[in-house]
Amino acid sequence: MSDAPSARALTEPAPDPSKGVLRILQLYPREMNIYGDYGNILVLRQRLAWRGYGAEILEHSTGDAFPSDIDLVVGGGGQDSGQLVIQDDLQSIAPTLRHLADDGTPMLVICGMYQLFGSVFRTHDGLDIPGIGVLDLQTQGGSERLIGNVVATSDEFGEIHGYENHSGQTFLGDGVTPLGTVVKGVGNNTDDQHEGARYRNVVASYLHGSLLPKNPAIADFLLRTAALRRFGSFDDDGLDDSLADLARTQTRARPR
């Protein structure tokens, strides 16, 4: 049995959620949580609560034993220094993450974690940071920083809104599909107008802001998938997303 500490519970489940509790794991919250990415966790928890479900939010940090029985995995962005700090630990849990992804566990990975879920991140200085191979893609660090508002279109999720701030240029392999096609901004790289990646129930994106408050369709996809796997059903009653719609209208009108 491992002597490593267990992942820490950030919040306890609701006292008696009428429809059940989902266990949501956040990867490396200290090192990989910039530009408001923790807001994605808050959105998932709140959209569950509005529907009568509970959420137990767990954190996995370096040296922790990976928890069992996880319904949804979330990872945020981080600087190159943060990626180096978590590299060894991430490699140690890579087989588990690959198994979960292949088995259909829903995941949301943003920016730096998106890069590390690929095969390699080659920094602008020529340092290779190995990825964990969940996603068929690779990233090359560039000299140009890609910053600004992004709007992309997706057959699955409609318009996707967010804010990018990265110098990595990510190129997708045959094993993944783009999350969306960029109509404003850059996205994965300066060549192909792709933003993010999709593999089974994994959603990967460069978009911060946080992503989910302005994109409830993606949030509900992750929750619906997790609930169906856990409970066999999901009470998907429509929520009032008028504030999210207003935010989308505003970001659509903003300059790059």
Side-chain angles (χ1 to χ4, degrees):
M1 181 177 294
S2 172
D3 293 329
S6 300
R8 289 169 288 279
L10 186 64
T11 61
E12 294 300 319
D16 186 22
S18 60
K19 299 173 185 175
V21 175
L22 293 180
R23 285 165 57 86
I24 302 174
L25 178 66
Q26 184 181 21
L27 297 174
Y28 310 108
R30 290 187 294 275
E31 298 86 356
M32 306 296 287
N33 177 22
I34 58 175
Y35 306 124
D37 288 335
Y38 181 65
N40 294 321
I41 292 286
L42 298 179
V43 167
L44 294 170
R45 183 173 64 187
Q46 187 59 60
R47 292 183 78 82
L48 284 172
W50 281 334
R51 292 178 167 116
Y53 297 91
E56 184 177 8
I57 311 299
L58 304 173
E59 296 180 342
H60 175 85
S61 296
T62 55
D64 289 347
F66 197 89
S68 60
D69 207 23
I70 292 300
D71 297 305
L72 202 161
V73 176
V74 179
Q79 298 175 332
D80 293 359
S81 58
Q83 292 175 315
L84 288 170
V85 168
I86 70 168
Q87 180 180 358
D88 290 344
D89 189 85
L90 182 62
Q91 290 295 329
S92 74
I93 64 173
T96 301
L97 290 171
R98 287 194 293 267
H99 170 74
L100 288 171
D102 290 343
D103 190 50
T105 299
M107 301 183 179
L108 174 68
V109 288
I110 301 295
C111 199
M113 193 61 69
Y114 170 24
Q115 295 170 345
L116 292 179
F117 264 49
S119 59
V120 64
F121 171 45
R122 185 165 292 112
T123 71
H124 184 55
D125 298 329
L127 175 66
D128 280 1
I129 302 178
I132 62 173
V134 171
L135 302 173
D136 179 16
L137 55 88
Q138 57 183 327
T139 301
Q140 173 67 56
S143 58
E144 177 187 4
R145 194 150 195 92
L146 309 174
I147 303 174
N149 294 303
V150 173
V151 179
T153 60
S154 161
D155 291 340
E156 187 175 13
F157 300 117
E159 276 194 352
I160 300 171
H161 295 253
Y163 187 88
E164 63 183 342
N165 187 347
H166 61 100
S167 58
Q169 303 234 3
T170 294
F171 297 90
L172 307 185
D174 294 335
V176 295
T177 58
L179 172 62
T181 300
V182 175
V183 296
K184 179 170 70 176
V186 178
N188 287 341
N189 57 69
T190 54
D191 293 343
D192 57 26
Q193 292 187 287
H194 292 160
E195 156 50 30
R198 288 282 284 111
Y199 167 70
R200 296 184 65 80
N201 293 321
V202 179
V203 176
S205 175
Y206 268 116
L207 301 185
H208 301 283
S210 331
L211 176 68
L212 296 185
K214 293 192 292 288
N215 298 280
I218 298 178
D220 284 350
F221 162 78
L222 297 167
L223 295 174
R224 183 183 308 109
T225 303
L228 289 174
R229 288 168 54 86
R230 168 67 66 180
F231 310 122
S233 63
F234 182 55
D235 186 353
D236 203 6
D237 290 343
L239 301 180
D240 180 4
D241 286 323
S242 56
L243 289 179
D245 293 339
L246 179 60
R248 292 161 64 83
T249 299
Q250 294 295 320
T251 57
R252 190 185 300 114
R254 286 177 180 171
R256 161 72 176 157

